[in-house]
Every structure is written in C-alpha cells, then in structure tokens.
Amino acid sequence: MSKTPLEVLKLYRDHDYTLRDVIGSRAERDPDRPLIWFDGVETSWAEIQEQAANAAAALAAKGVKPRDRIAVMARNSPDHIITLLALGRVGAIMVPINPEFGVAETTFVLNHAGVSGAIVSADTIETVRTASAEMKPKPWLVALDKATDDASTFADLLASGKGKTPPQAGGADDPVIIIFTSGSTGFPKAVLHSQRNFITAGEAFVARIALQDTDRLMIVLPMYHINAMFYQVAGTLAAGASMAIVPRFSASKFWETAVESNSTEINFIEAVGAILKERPRSEFRPEHKVRTIYGVRPWLVEIFNKEFNVPVCVGGYGMSEIPGVISTPLDRPNAPGSMGQLCVHPDPSRRWAKCRIVDDAGNDLGDDQIGELWVDTPIVMKGYFRDPEQTAAAFEGPWFKTGDLVKRDKDGFYTFVSRKKDIIRRRGENISGVELDRVIGEHPGVLQVAVIAVPAALGEDDILAAVVKRDGAKLEASDIAAWCAERLAPMKVPRYVAFLDALPLTPTMKINKNALRQDKGLIGRSVDLGENTRRPQRSA
C-alpha cells in the first residue's frame, strides 16, 4: 500500500536542510540501499555519501572556499551528484553547464559565474580551455575521463580526499547551485538557489507525484536543467528513493533503458513526449514498470495512458526562478487544458505558494480573466547572480513576476495562455501565439509549428507560421490557412507560412521563437497568402 507524501518524509529523522544532513538522514535508515543506477551498475547511499565526503575534503585541499563557483560541463553522470553534495559541504556553488555550448556561450557562463575550477569531460575540455584562456586566475580543470597535462582525473580527486576530514561549512541558506536559464532571448541569466530551496523543492516533488521511497526515477533531462535537478535529483534525496542516470535522452533506447533500470518514474518536457509519440512502436517495451511520467502535456496524456501503459501522467508549471508552483492533481480530474492547481508541501502546516493574476498596472483580476501570473513561494531564487538590476525588476515586493499570461477558474485551476512576449497584436486585438501553435499543431500533416509576429505594412503585426511537415505529408500554405479558418476567428489566420526542415531549439529543447524572430530572411522564404487571410472565404 502506498504511503502518503508526509509518511514518506517521516521515514527519516529530522534534518537541518543541508545536503550533508539530508543524505545522512536517508543513508542511516539502510546504507546499502541503491541510490544511483548508471550504465547497469548500482551504487549505494553509503558509497555516494563517502565519495561526496572524499570529494569535499579534496576540493577544500585544492583551495575551494565557501561561495566559490565550480563548473561542471559534461553529460549526466553520478559525478554531478557527488560534486553537488561535495560542494554543499564546502559551502561552495555548483555551476552545471550545457555540454553542447560553444566557445562563446561557455566564455560568457564561465566569466559571469567567475568560476575558479571546472570539472569537464573529454568532449568539453577543449571548449573550456579556450573559453577560459583569458580568465585571471585561470580555472583549474578536473577531467572525468582521462588525465591530461593540465587536468587530473575525478577518480584521482576522490582518492586524494580519502581519509581526510571533510569540511562542514555549507549552511541551509547558503547558495549551492546556479542554474542558467535557456537563453532564448540572448545571454542567459544565472539563477541562484540555496540548499534549503533545493531540498524543499524535492519534498514538494514527493507530494506532486506521490513519490515513494521504493521508486526509481529515470533522469533523461540534462542536469543543467531545473527539472532534472530540483525535481528528480532533489525528489530522490527527499524520498530516500533511487535514481537511474542516463547520459542523454535517446528516443530509440528510451523504453529499453526504462526496463533495464527498473525505473518507475520519468520526467520529460513536451518535445521529448512528442518525439516518443512519433517513434516506431517496435521500440516500445510493454514490460516496463513506469507508473508516473511528469511533464506530460494534455494532448499527450491519452497516448501515454493507453498506448504506452503509463497510468499516471502529471503536468506542471514552474520556472528556474520558482520551481514547482502548479501541477495537475492526482486525486481528481484536471480541468481540460489546465496546468492544474497550486502545489502543496507534504506537511499541510507548511506555508506554500500563493499566486495572483494581475493587469498591466498590477491590479488583481478575477476568475476567467487573463493577466500576468505573479507568484510568492518559499522556494524562490536568491536572485540573479551578479545582476541586481534584473533581480529587482523581477519582483514586486515578495511577488515574482513570471511574464506569463494565465487565467484561473472558480475552482482554482490555472490555464496558460501565452508568454507576454508571445502575444501578437493584430488590428487592435491580442492573439496568443500559443493558441495558434496548438491549433496548427493538430493538423495531421504538421510535425512541429511555431507562430510568431512579424511587422505589418500598416503597423502592428502580421502572423507567420513556421511549419515542419511530417514525412510524406503533402501540405501547402493554403492548407494551413484553411485549417485555421475552420477553427479560429478570421483575425487569427496566418498571412505567412514558412515550411522549414527543422525549427531552432533552445539548449533545453524548447522551440526558440526568438531565433525565428531574428531571422531577417524568414518572411522572404515564406508563402505570402495576402491580406485576404484576415477574412478567409469558407468553403460552401
């Protein structure tokens, strides 16, 4: 019989909301239980605890001090977890970096964070060398794979700390991780979180998906992403569960890995779900034990329930700055198309997130009115690192201004409408790009779509739909217009349709509309359906 979320947390003694004490409290119950599965090998709670202590001692001996920043630029591995736990003991800060970053992006991140060291893999070490060449002092390097002239190995680092007393400098409210936002609107912002935030977010994730201590969470999202770190890694630690770490998402091996790792829970984002939907069903392994997937959008729920035999699909809303604010409920039906209701902590006495929906003047709006979502939550970021101006601009008192337009119904269900920047202004009306994405995306010949505003000759905006066709689909621009005309007001029918081989993506696999907006030649490569698309003629 399943335990309640609070019963799961009560399996362990109270802790002080440091990573050191959380892993200690969980390891005490049964130190030989597996904590990490990686490439077919299991490592116990006690072993990870020991390795983290060794790493902390070695890093301190290397000169790492409280509040120093240490980068990790590699694909997912247990070393991410060991490094995070070790830096928590030192009181230092982990800076996970997308291993796909080029030199320019890496240079920005290393310099903005002011890292004093970097833990790198064979495929990222040269990028980090080049990106840090002008930094003073130049960061030291530790290689995850093999030693080089300028980098000892991570195994050597662990060995050098063995037998030494590890530091215990990091406190619950000390910063422990910087998550860089995806950077879809230029260089990313550095979101700073404390150990308490990290652990509390994990406890909330236990409630959000009814996580059990016996669960195994398969991590396919990258560990520079808030989802993987603050939901799955933190949730595993909070529940005393285990995690299966996958270096990177592979659609062809997804179900095979789920079976081999005995995973019961997986997180993904919409793009991952859409990819799996399109994969050959010969890759599906019906003997899997996955009971819950978090991050499933409403249009994919039925497919994962019925075709992939996953009984529980949970959606949610959060941001790097405010993890885990809203989710679809487990104990009642979700409102159609809704993000769900406010999340809760397993302990009902704990204060949790509050939300407001406001107009442009900051006045509260009523039910079913569209406005910007403001959030007051106990797991809000400490700020944007080295950016006090943007930090101040992000808040109105205790309220974090999300920049998202939503509405709330009388039962407390929240529905996402659009990013404020994704609103198209046409003939005095506001049109949601997200709504057009959804409608056009339902066309059987469309694989992916992104709708953006482009300048109109007489001011305001025209609508451009960038479309990727399904293989073999015979699709014309006029077909897109006709599809929209049958389902939407005339004002919402795109004037331009561009058929592309692929849509640009952010580092977190979201469609990068800003890249499309900055493509000056996109209109020229589009089919112009003309002004009459605003008043399309419906067929008799």
Side-chain angles (χ1 to χ4, degrees):
M1 185 174 180
S2 296
K3 306 175 186 71
T4 68
L6 187 56
E7 287 172 340
V8 171
L9 299 189
K10 292 295 186 182
L11 292 170
Y12 316 100
R13 65 166 173 80
D14 291 342
H15 56 78
D16 63 7
Y17 281 87
T18 64
L19 289 169
R20 175 189 70 254
D21 203 30
V22 165
I23 192 172
S25 67
R26 273 58 180 161
E28 288 168 8
R29 179 172 170 240
D30 184 357
D32 296 326
R33 282 182 306 134
L35 171 55
I36 294 176
W37 179 97
F38 181 73
D39 197 21
V41 177
E42 291 185 334
T43 308
S44 71
W45 280 81
E47 290 170 317
I48 294 297
Q49 185 182 29
E50 180 182 6
Q51 289 175 34
N54 293 343
L59 289 168
K62 221 172 160 57
V64 178
K65 307 179 299 300
R67 306 241 169 183
D68 281 356
R69 279 79 61 198
I70 306 300
V72 179
M73 190 171 181
R75 303 203 183 282
N76 293 355
S77 78
D79 300 323
H80 281 78
I81 311 303
I82 294 166
T83 300
L84 177 68
L85 295 170
L87 292 173
R89 295 191 74 131
V90 176
I93 302 167
M94 177 175 166
V95 185
I97 302 175
N98 183 352
E100 300 289 346
F101 272 1
V103 170
E105 295 159 306
T106 307
T107 300
F108 171 80
V109 169
L110 295 178
N111 280 275
H112 185 81
V115 304
S116 55
I119 298 169
V120 297
S121 55
D123 57 346
T124 65
I125 189 169
E126 191 57 42
T127 300
V128 173
R129 281 195 190 110
T130 304
S132 62
E134 303 300 320
M135 292 181 68
K136 298 185 185 305
K138 190 173 180 180
W140 50 257
L141 302 178
V142 167
L144 294 176
D145 310 282
K146 60 180 180 180
T148 64
D149 290 342
D150 58 349
S152 59
T153 68
F154 196 76
D156 290 337
L157 181 79
L158 296 180
S160 70
K162 194 169 185 178
K164 296 180 180 177
T165 302
Q168 299 188 34
D173 295 311
D174 290 331
V176 74
I177 190 168
I178 290 174
I179 297 288
F180 277 87
T181 57
S182 62
S184 62
T185 55
F187 282 121
K189 292 176 286 192
V191 179
L192 187 65
H193 280 286
S194 67
Q195 298 196 41
R196 186 187 303 277
N197 276 11
F198 186 85
I199 295 161
T200 307
E203 292 177 343
F205 192 64
V206 173
R208 203 144 67 244
I209 64 167
L211 190 61
Q212 302 292 297
D213 59 307
T214 53
D215 276 323
R216 174 161 290 175
L217 293 75
M218 182 169 127
I219 302 175
V220 299
L221 296 179
M223 288 188 178
Y224 58 81
H225 195 282
I226 195 80
N227 193 317
M229 292 302 288
F230 276 66
Y231 300 164
Q232 287 193 293
V233 173
T236 297
L237 297 180
S242 65
M243 66 184 92
I245 298 176
V246 181
R248 63 186 301 180
F249 168 68
S250 167
S252 62
K253 296 180 179 178
F254 180 87
W255 295 110
E256 178 184 347
T257 304
V259 170
E260 289 180 354
S261 63
N262 289 311
S263 293
T264 59
E265 192 279 342
I266 306 174
N267 281 26
F268 58 50
I269 58 176
E270 184 173 17
V272 171
I275 290 169
L276 292 173
K277 172 182 176 291
E278 298 298 320
R279 296 296 300 180
R281 292 303 185 261
S282 59
E283 295 171 354
F284 177 61
R285 297 281 295 273
E287 69 270 31
H288 73 77
K289 298 178 181 176
V290 179
R291 67 169 178 84
T292 304
I293 294 182
Y294 180 85
V296 182
R297 292 292 185 259
W299 66 279
L300 287 167
V301 169
E302 184 173 2
I303 292 165
F304 277 87
N305 284 161
K306 295 182 177 179
E307 292 192 40
F308 295 134
N309 303 323
V310 178
V312 181
C313 292
V314 182
Y317 171 89
M319 301 174 67
S320 297
E321 295 89 340
I322 47 168
V325 176
I326 295 167
S327 68
T328 55
L330 295 175
D331 58 351
R332 70 186 73 91
N334 189 49
S338 164
M339 299 185 294
Q341 297 174 311
L342 289 179
C343 297
V344 297
H345 188 273
D347 184 346
S349 69
R350 295 277 293 271
R351 182 183 84 83
W352 207 242
K354 298 181 290 185
C355 291
R356 296 170 61 192
I357 297 174
V358 303
D359 62 18
D360 289 341
N363 300 310
D364 288 290
L365 298 174
D367 293 339
D368 299 316
Q369 292 184 287
I370 297 172
E372 184 180 3
L373 180 67
W374 289 7
V375 178
D376 178 8
T377 171
I379 45 173
V380 66
M381 67 171 180
K382 294 180 76 69
Y384 296 119
F385 186 67
R386 289 182 169 172
D387 200 340
E389 289 185 3
Q390 288 211 66
T391 300
F395 289 90
E396 186 69 34
W399 299 95
F400 178 79
K401 300 183 286 188
T402 67
D404 288 331
L405 298 177
V406 305
K407 61 181 178 179
R408 179 189 56 236
D409 69 15
K410 61 182 178 57
D411 297 315
F413 285 93
Y414 291 79
T415 299
F416 180 82
V417 176
S418 176
R419 289 288 295 170
K420 289 184 76 172
K421 295 179 181 178
D422 200 16
I423 287 292
I424 300 165
R425 186 74 174 173
R426 199 179 197 193
R427 291 179 62 185
E429 299 289 339
N430 289 331
I431 300 168
S432 168
V434 172
E435 179 189 23
L436 294 177
D437 291 344
R438 176 182 58 79
V439 171
I440 298 174
E442 291 170 351
H443 190 290
V446 172
L447 179 62
Q448 285 184 306
V449 60
V451 176
I452 61 171
V454 293
L458 299 177
E460 293 194 330
D461 301 322
D462 266 324
I463 300 172
L464 184 150
V467 174
V468 179
K469 301 179 187 178
R470 293 188 185 277
D471 289 343
K474 296 180 179 179
L475 196 61
E476 303 293 337
S478 57
D479 298 326
I480 298 296
W483 179 268
C484 292
E486 292 296 328
R487 291 160 177 80
L488 296 167
M491 191 63 57
K492 298 180 181 180
V493 178
R495 173 173 178 171
Y496 301 96
V497 178
F499 290 109
L500 306 179
D501 293 332
L503 296 179
L505 301 177
T506 71
T508 52
M509 296 179 64
K510 297 177 182 177
I511 293 172
N512 190 339
K513 287 193 175 184
N514 193 59
L516 292 172
R517 295 184 187 105
Q518 293 177 346
D519 185 344
K520 302 302 183 184
L522 187 59
I523 292 179
R525 303 196 306 276
S526 304
V527 175
D528 183 355
L529 294 165
E531 288 291 315
N532 64 339
T533 60
R534 297 186 180 188
R535 299 178 183 85
Q537 298 298 313
R538 296 177 182 266
S539 57

